[in-house]
């Protein structure tokens, strides 16, 4: 069906390349195709008899008709008018040829009837003028028939086909009963479709008229229609009743500005405006109607809103005073401080120090006494500052229960002593409602204008400096180098957060091997190649992830990537080994840690026995009871649990007996003196012996030399990890190595396989 639609252009949508409606092109193609088909039938059926009678001229005529009809059919889409007129020429030529080639006069006269179809065809294909022309032209064959004019005398032919009457009458029958009716039927279908489209258009216009009544004439809101020059051409009943518009206004002679002086038609804002009309306020919006080159002004009475706005003005002025007070302590807030500080800067160019003070014991006191006590303490500290003999200026509260104040530049040489004196005053015992408590204040200091030329900049620099204050150094003066380091870490944290969200981190795998280099497990290690910063070392981004509380999201990403890789290896029948994943204290302390872990494994059909969790010792220090419960639950699921970096800082051997540990991973720091120091060697050997008694497997990381491996194998260690065997490998390099060398990373001579 699609072939016929495309072949005969049976769909009415669109026009041809010449802008002719498709239905006319379709009718032309139907006539040409059926005509070509009839010509082909005549040519084939008459070829042999004509050859026998040596009527070569007649053969030429029939073949020419066939060729021309096919050519016109091929050109009909692109050259419609040419083909339509050529069709009529062919009809005239066919009628004339019959008169010239037929000896039988009556049969020749019958053949002239071909031309009688030309006005009807012209009406369908070319229009009324062409039909009239061909109708007048038909006077010629009518005259020939009426006067029995024999045109065969002109050719001198005295012989014709024996069955010529059959061909002539058959062609006339088929032409008038098939070719023309098919074209007429196509025209009728097109007319019917056009009628349907007209009906749809009428229905659409009726709908538009209904919309006009609903949205304009019957709208509850006043609406006024103006032309491009802003002259009123129409309005609805509501506009007439409210604004007093009468019928004379519709004449298009009165500008909307005459009725509403506050409206400037040429400059009305896009979002509209509020105008005053007599005793009311009107929100007026202008809507453009492009098809009609008009505009609709819609009015909404907003008198009540404006009255309410006026009533609120007084309240706003009153609240403006409260804007500069901290609502919880009723002390001057950061907005007040910056306002007063900027006033001081504008009135004088004197240098001064901005100091931010905060108690380091605030979190403890909040947990012990609650937020209300913290606010009372802050108010008391504020009072002490105001009364201090150094007379700090512009004292206020700022960001997260901090105090801020100004000290003059005159204290520069004795800044430490002045701040210590203020600290001693603020740190004295506080007593209220039977509660006695102690605070310990620390200070961040920035200098105007050296560290900033506006109040907000200097305050932010003082806040940055406060982060570097500590127990051993109770105040810190803003330092560009420290600030740059802080900003660098902060920028890295922002990019790391985006990298985790966008899945930009990759996973490498470092083999865990036996002494002969046979791989028995893998450790998954995060790698980050930032498009902005380049390759970032884990030693940099892992601590930042922990500091900015992103480590759990990072761990989730690594777990999912590892599970996806194990699932892919399993699908491809690639050798599977247990994969170790590092777990931080923040991960371990998450209440949904185990549930998320199990879900990720379930999503990729990975068994818990294929995952080894490497916990740092800090995970075990945080909450002994809770840590033991979590480890027992992990063991019940089938996970292998190991302790990572044992031997760093303060390591407790008693934990080995208390917790259900499968493996203990010795830190590389224990290997530094194993070749030269007998005490170091004995320490490592002692740890190995303890683990052997407790049936805990020992793994040594950081093995970089063969001599280290020799000493460790002497002790009895059987599982190792380090650059001596292999660096961390990308998935591609690891798979390539295994396909080439199998799970072996040392050759028979003990050299690393590449």
């Amino acid at each position: 069906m699609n072939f016929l639609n495309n072949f005969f252009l049976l769909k009415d949508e669109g026009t041809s390349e010449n802008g002719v409606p498709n239905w006319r092109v379709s009718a032309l193609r139907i006539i040409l195709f059926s005509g070509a088909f009839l010509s082909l039938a005549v040519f084939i059926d008459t070829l042999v008899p004509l050859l026998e009678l040596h009527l070569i001229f007649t053969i030429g005529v029939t073949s020419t008709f066939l060729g021309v009809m096919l050519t016109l059919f091929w050109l009909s889409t692109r050259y419609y008018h040419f083909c339509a007129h050529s069709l009529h020429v062919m009809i005239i030529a066919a009628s004339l040829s019959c008169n010239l080639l037929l000896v039988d006069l009556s049969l020749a006269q019958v053949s002239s009837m071909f031309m009688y179809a030309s006005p009807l065809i012209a009406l369908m294909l070319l229009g009324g003028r062409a039909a009239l022309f061909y109708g007048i032209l038909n006077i010629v064959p009518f005259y020939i028939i009426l006067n029995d004019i024999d045109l065969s005398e002109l050719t001198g032919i005295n012989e014709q086909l024996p069955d010529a009457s059959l061909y002539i009458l058959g062609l006339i029958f088929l032409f008038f009963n098939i070719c023309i009716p098919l074209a007429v039927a196509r025209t009728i279908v097109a007319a019917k479709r056009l009628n349907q489209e007209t009906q749809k258009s009428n229905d659409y216009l009726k709908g538009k008229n209904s919309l006009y009544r609903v949205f304009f004439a019957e709208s509850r809101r006043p609406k006024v229609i103006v032309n491009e020059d802003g002259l009123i051409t129409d309005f609805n009943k509501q506009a007439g009743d409210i604004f007093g518009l009468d019928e004379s206004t519709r004449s298009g002679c009165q500008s909307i500005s005459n009725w509403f002086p506050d409206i400037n038609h040429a400059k009305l804002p896009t979002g509209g405006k509020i105008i005053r009309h007599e005793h009311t306020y009107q929100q007026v919006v202008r809507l453009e109607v492009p098809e009609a080159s008009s505009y609709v002004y819609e009015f909404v009475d907003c008198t009540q809103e404006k009255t309410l706005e006026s009533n609120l003005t007084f309240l706003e002025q009153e609240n403006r005073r409260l804007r500069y007070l901290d609502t919880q302590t009723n002390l001057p807030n950061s907005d007040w401080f910056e306002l007063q500080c900027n006033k001081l800067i504008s009135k004088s160019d004197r240098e001064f120090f901005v100091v931010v003070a905060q108690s380091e014991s605030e979190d403890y006191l909040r947990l012990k006494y609650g937020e209300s006590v913290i606010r009372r303490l802050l108010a008391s500290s504020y009072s002490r500052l105001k009364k201090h003999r150094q007379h700090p200026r512009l004292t206020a509260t700022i960001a997260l229960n901090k105090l801020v104040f100004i000290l003059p530049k005159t204290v520069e040489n004795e800044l430490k002593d002045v701040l210590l004196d203020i600290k001693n005053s603020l740190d004295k015992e506080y007593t209220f409602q039977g509660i006695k408590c102690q605070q310990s204040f620390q200070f961040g200091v920035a200098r105007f204008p050296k560290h900033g030329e506006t109040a907000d900049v200097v305050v932010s620099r003082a806040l940055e400096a406060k982060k570097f204050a500590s127990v051993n150094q109770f105040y810190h003066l803003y330092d560009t180098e420290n600030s740059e380091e802080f900003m660098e870490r902060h920028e890295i944290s922002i990019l790391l957060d985006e990298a985790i969200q966008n899945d930009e981190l990759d996973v490498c795998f470092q083999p865990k091997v036996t002494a002969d280099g046979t791989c028995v497990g893998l450790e998954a290690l995060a790698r980050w190649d930032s498009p902005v910063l380049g390759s970032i070392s884990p030693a940099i981004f892992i601590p930042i992830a922990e500091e900015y509380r992103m480590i759990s999201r990072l761990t989730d990403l690594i777990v999912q990537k590892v599970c996806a890789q194990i699932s892919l290896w399993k699908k491809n029948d690639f050798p599977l080994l247990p994969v170790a994943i590092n777990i931080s204290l923040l991960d371990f302390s998450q209440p949904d840690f185990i549930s998320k872990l199990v879900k990720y494994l379930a999503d990729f059909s990975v068994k818990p026995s294929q995952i080894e969790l490497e916990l740092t010792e800090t995970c075990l220090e945080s909450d002994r009871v809770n840590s033991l419960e979590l480890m027992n639950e992990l063991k019940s699921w089938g996970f292998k649990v190991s302790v990572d970096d044992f031997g760093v800082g303060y390591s407790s051997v008693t934990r080995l007996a208390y917790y259900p540990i499968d493996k203990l991973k010795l830190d590389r720091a224990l290997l530094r003196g194993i070749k030269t120091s007998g005490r170091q060697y004995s320490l490592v050997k002692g740890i190995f012996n303890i683990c052997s008694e407790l049936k805990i497997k020992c793994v040594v990381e950081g093995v970089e030399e063969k001599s280290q491996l020799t000493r460790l194998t002497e002790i009895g260690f059987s599982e190792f990890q380090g650059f001596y065997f292999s660096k961390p490998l990308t998935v591609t390099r690891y798979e390539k190595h295994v396909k080439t060398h199998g799970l072996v990373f040392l050759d028979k001579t003990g050299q690393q396989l590449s």
Side-chain angles (χ1 to χ4, degrees):
M1 193 63 186
N2 288 332
F3 171 76
L4 292 176
N5 286 338
N6 296 330
F7 193 72
F8 289 112
L9 298 177
L10 298 180
K11 293 183 178 179
D12 293 338
E13 294 84 357
T15 59
S16 68
E17 296 180 8
N18 295 323
V20 179
N22 274 350
W23 67 267
R24 281 192 164 173
V25 181
S26 176
L28 174 62
R29 289 177 71 87
I30 289 173
I31 295 174
L32 290 172
F33 181 80
S34 56
F37 183 79
L38 292 177
S39 299
L40 177 64
V42 171
F43 174 78
I44 294 173
D45 196 57
T46 61
L47 180 62
V48 174
L50 290 174
L51 288 173
E52 292 175 351
L53 295 174
H54 302 289
L55 298 176
I56 304 303
F57 181 74
T58 305
I59 295 174
V61 171
T62 56
S63 61
T64 299
F65 270 97
L66 174 60
V68 171
M69 294 296 277
L70 290 174
T71 302
L72 291 178
F73 179 81
W74 180 54
L75 297 174
S76 59
T77 303
R78 297 184 61 184
Y79 305 101
Y80 171 80
H81 290 93
F82 169 78
C83 293
H85 286 294
S86 298
L87 172 63
H88 287 82
V89 172
M90 290 300 297
I91 293 173
I92 296 171
S95 178
L96 181 61
S97 297
C98 290
N99 277 271
L100 292 172
L101 299 176
L102 291 174
V103 178
D104 187 343
L105 179 60
S106 60
L107 188 60
Q109 291 175 341
V110 171
S111 67
S112 297
M113 296 177 66
F114 274 116
M115 284 188 62
Y116 292 164
S118 58
L120 176 60
I121 296 174
L123 183 63
M124 286 189 294
L125 302 182
L126 297 171
R129 291 183 180 180
L132 179 61
F133 170 78
Y134 288 108
I136 295 172
L137 190 63
N138 277 341
I139 295 174
V140 175
F142 177 75
Y143 177 81
I144 292 173
I145 295 172
L146 190 65
N147 294 283
D148 294 328
I149 299 174
D150 187 0
L151 297 180
S152 62
E153 295 176 355
L154 299 176
T155 59
I157 293 176
N158 54 14
E159 190 175 6
Q160 66 182 25
L161 281 172
D163 297 327
S165 59
L166 175 64
Y167 291 114
I168 296 301
L169 294 175
L171 285 173
I172 291 175
F173 174 81
L174 293 174
F175 187 70
F176 280 95
N177 286 276
I178 294 179
C179 297
I180 294 178
L182 285 176
V184 171
R186 179 67 183 89
T187 305
I188 292 172
V189 169
K192 184 178 180 181
R193 290 176 179 171
L194 179 61
N195 184 57
Q196 291 174 346
E197 291 296 325
T198 303
Q199 184 62 41
K200 288 182 181 178
S201 298
N202 291 336
D203 293 341
Y204 176 76
L205 291 175
K206 289 179 181 178
K208 284 286 187 179
N209 187 44
S210 298
L211 286 175
Y212 169 80
R213 290 198 308 271
V214 172
F215 291 104
F216 181 74
E218 298 176 5
S219 173
R220 295 182 179 179
R221 293 180 177 178
K223 294 185 179 182
V224 177
I225 299 179
V226 303
N227 60 20
E228 292 179 328
D229 299 324
L231 301 177
I232 299 175
T233 58
D234 200 0
F235 54 87
N236 63 1
K237 184 177 182 299
Q238 286 70 20
D241 294 342
I242 295 174
F243 303 130
L245 302 174
D246 53 31
E247 288 300 319
S248 62
T249 312
R250 288 193 172 97
S251 61
C253 299
Q254 297 189 39
S255 170
I256 191 169
S257 299
N258 294 340
W259 289 87
F260 306 97
D262 292 337
I263 294 180
N264 186 333
H265 177 68
K267 298 181 180 180
L268 188 72
T270 304
K273 65 181 294 188
I274 295 176
I275 64 171
R276 182 75 182 267
H277 181 74
E278 296 181 350
H279 302 295
T280 67
Y281 289 94
Q282 300 287 336
Q283 171 76 40
V284 57
V285 178
R286 186 180 67 187
L287 307 173
E288 185 176 359
V289 187
E291 298 164 348
S293 299
S294 300
Y295 298 87
V296 178
Y297 282 89
E298 182 179 78
F299 297 83
V300 179
D301 192 321
C302 58
T303 306
Q304 292 184 351
E305 289 82 350
K306 288 295 292 183
T307 303
L308 179 61
E309 181 181 344
S310 300
N311 293 336
L312 290 175
T313 302
F314 173 76
L315 295 176
E316 182 180 353
Q317 294 173 348
E318 179 66 17
N319 288 334
R320 191 174 299 168
R321 182 183 64 85
L322 300 175
R323 171 187 171 187
Y324 298 111
L325 287 179
D326 180 78
T327 56
Q328 296 180 330
T329 59
N330 288 326
L331 300 178
N333 60 17
S334 58
D335 290 338
W336 177 86
F337 179 83
E338 290 185 9
L339 176 66
Q340 300 301 324
C341 191
N342 283 324
K343 286 182 179 179
L344 178 63
I345 292 171
S346 63
K347 291 179 180 179
S348 171
D349 58 354
R350 294 179 182 178
E351 298 182 9
F352 56 82
F353 292 98
V354 172
V355 183
V356 172
Q358 183 180 23
S359 173
E360 65 168 323
S361 53
E362 177 187 324
D363 292 337
Y364 165 76
L365 295 173
R366 180 181 284 105
L367 289 173
K368 185 173 182 180
Y369 299 114
E371 189 68 35
S372 60
V373 172
I374 292 296
R375 291 196 292 269
R376 293 283 299 275
L377 285 171
L378 190 68
S380 298
S381 302
Y382 173 85
S383 298
R384 291 186 184 184
L385 268 175
K386 295 290 288 183
K387 297 175 182 177
H388 194 271
R389 60 187 177 186
Q390 295 293 341
H391 302 295
R393 299 180 62 184
L394 304 183
T395 306
T397 62
I398 191 172
L400 299 176
N401 296 325
K402 296 179 178 67
L403 293 170
V404 62
F405 55 90
I406 286 177
L407 290 176
K409 188 198 173 194
T410 54
V411 302
E412 182 175 7
N413 296 329
E414 48 189 29
L415 180 62
K416 181 177 180 180
D417 294 334
V418 171
L419 290 176
L420 182 59
D421 192 27
I422 293 174
K423 173 178 170 60
N424 291 334
S425 175
L426 294 177
D427 287 356
K428 287 181 181 179
E429 187 176 76
Y430 294 80
T431 303
F432 48 86
Q433 295 181 351
I435 298 176
K436 293 183 179 181
C437 55
Q438 199 84 24
Q439 297 199 87
S440 178
F441 275 84
Q442 296 173 350
F443 305 93
V445 186
R447 179 176 171 179
F448 169 83
K450 181 179 180 181
H451 298 145
E453 297 182 354
T454 59
D456 57 336
V457 174
V458 182
V459 170
S460 66
R461 297 287 167 79
L463 285 168
E464 286 182 30
K466 167 64 189 63
K467 295 175 181 177
F468 294 98
S470 62
V471 176
N472 298 323
Q473 183 180 348
F474 70 93
Y475 86 99
H476 186 85
L477 183 63
Y478 177 78
D479 180 86
T480 304
E481 184 177 342
N482 286 340
S483 177
E484 289 177 355
E485 179 184 348
F486 170 79
M487 291 303 296
E488 181 180 349
R489 290 174 64 83
H490 185 66
E491 289 173 1
I492 292 175
S493 73
I494 294 173
L495 292 173
L496 179 59
D497 181 59
E498 293 178 357
I500 294 173
Q501 290 184 28
N502 300 331
D503 193 16
E504 293 179 5
L505 283 89
D506 296 317
V507 176
C508 288
F509 295 93
Q510 186 172 25
K512 295 180 181 180
V513 300
T514 58
D516 61 358
T518 301
C519 186
V520 294
L522 300 169
E523 180 180 5
L525 300 170
R527 291 294 182 265
W528 180 25
D529 190 8
S530 169
V532 178
L533 303 175
S535 182
I536 309 297
S537 169
I540 295 176
F541 74 80
I542 295 295
I544 290 177
E546 291 179 337
E547 178 183 351
Y548 287 86
R549 300 281 174 170
M550 290 185 283
I551 192 67
S552 294
R553 290 167 51 219
L554 176 58
T555 302
D556 290 345
L557 179 62
I558 299 304
V559 170
Q560 292 179 72
K561 284 181 172 286
V562 169
C563 290
Q565 190 60 58
I566 292 175
S567 177
L568 183 60
W569 282 339
K570 184 178 179 181
K571 180 181 178 181
N572 296 332
D573 293 326
F574 195 80
L576 296 180
L577 296 172
V579 180
I581 300 174
N582 292 291
I583 304 298
S584 73
L585 172 61
L586 292 175
D587 297 323
F588 207 57
S589 60
Q590 296 293 319
D592 59 346
F593 168 67
I594 295 180
S595 61
K596 285 197 302 183
L597 186 62
V598 172
K599 179 186 179 299
Y600 295 146
L601 267 66
D603 289 343
F604 294 97
S605 300
V606 175
K607 297 178 181 179
S609 58
Q610 294 175 288
I611 300 296
E612 179 182 325
L613 303 176
E614 292 190 357
L615 311 178
T616 58
E617 283 194 88
T618 52
C619 293
L620 312 182
E621 292 174 6
S622 59
D623 187 337
R624 185 171 180 178
V625 176
N626 185 55
S627 298
L628 181 60
E629 290 178 357
L630 283 173
M631 291 182 70
N632 284 328
E633 188 173 353
L634 289 170
K635 295 282 290 181
S636 69
W637 277 99
F639 291 100
K640 295 178 181 178
V641 179
S642 64
V643 174
D644 192 17
D645 297 333
F646 187 83
V648 178
Y650 176 73
S651 297
S652 175
V653 179
T654 58
R655 296 196 189 97
L656 304 182
Y658 185 76
Y659 293 105
I661 300 169
D662 294 303
K663 284 186 180 181
L664 185 70
K665 197 169 182 182
L666 299 188
D667 187 74
R668 66 184 70 239
L670 294 174
L671 304 185
R672 290 173 185 162
I674 195 171
K675 297 183 295 180
T676 57
S677 171
R679 292 172 64 86
Q680 192 80 0
Y681 179 85
S682 298
L683 174 62
V684 174
K685 184 175 181 180
I687 295 173
F688 174 79
N689 290 334
I690 292 172
C691 290
S692 297
E693 290 293 328
L694 297 174
K695 294 183 172 50
I696 298 174
K697 193 166 186 178
C698 260
V699 183
V700 184
E701 66 175 350
V703 178
E704 298 180 356
E705 300 174 6
K706 186 174 182 179
S707 56
Q708 291 176 330
L709 177 63
T710 302
R711 296 287 280 173
L712 292 169
T713 52
E714 288 174 2
I715 295 174
F717 288 100
S718 59
E719 189 171 330
F720 311 92
Q721 186 177 353
F723 286 4
Y724 177 70
F725 301 98
S726 173
K727 293 182 178 180
L729 303 173
T730 63
V731 173
T732 303
R733 290 187 61 190
Y734 173 70
E735 290 177 346
K736 182 178 179 181
H737 181 95
V738 174
K739 289 176 182 177
T740 305
H741 305 290
L743 295 172
V744 178
F745 285 83
L746 291 180
D747 61 17
K748 294 181 180 180
T749 64
Q751 297 298 314
Q752 189 179 118
L753 290 169
S754 59

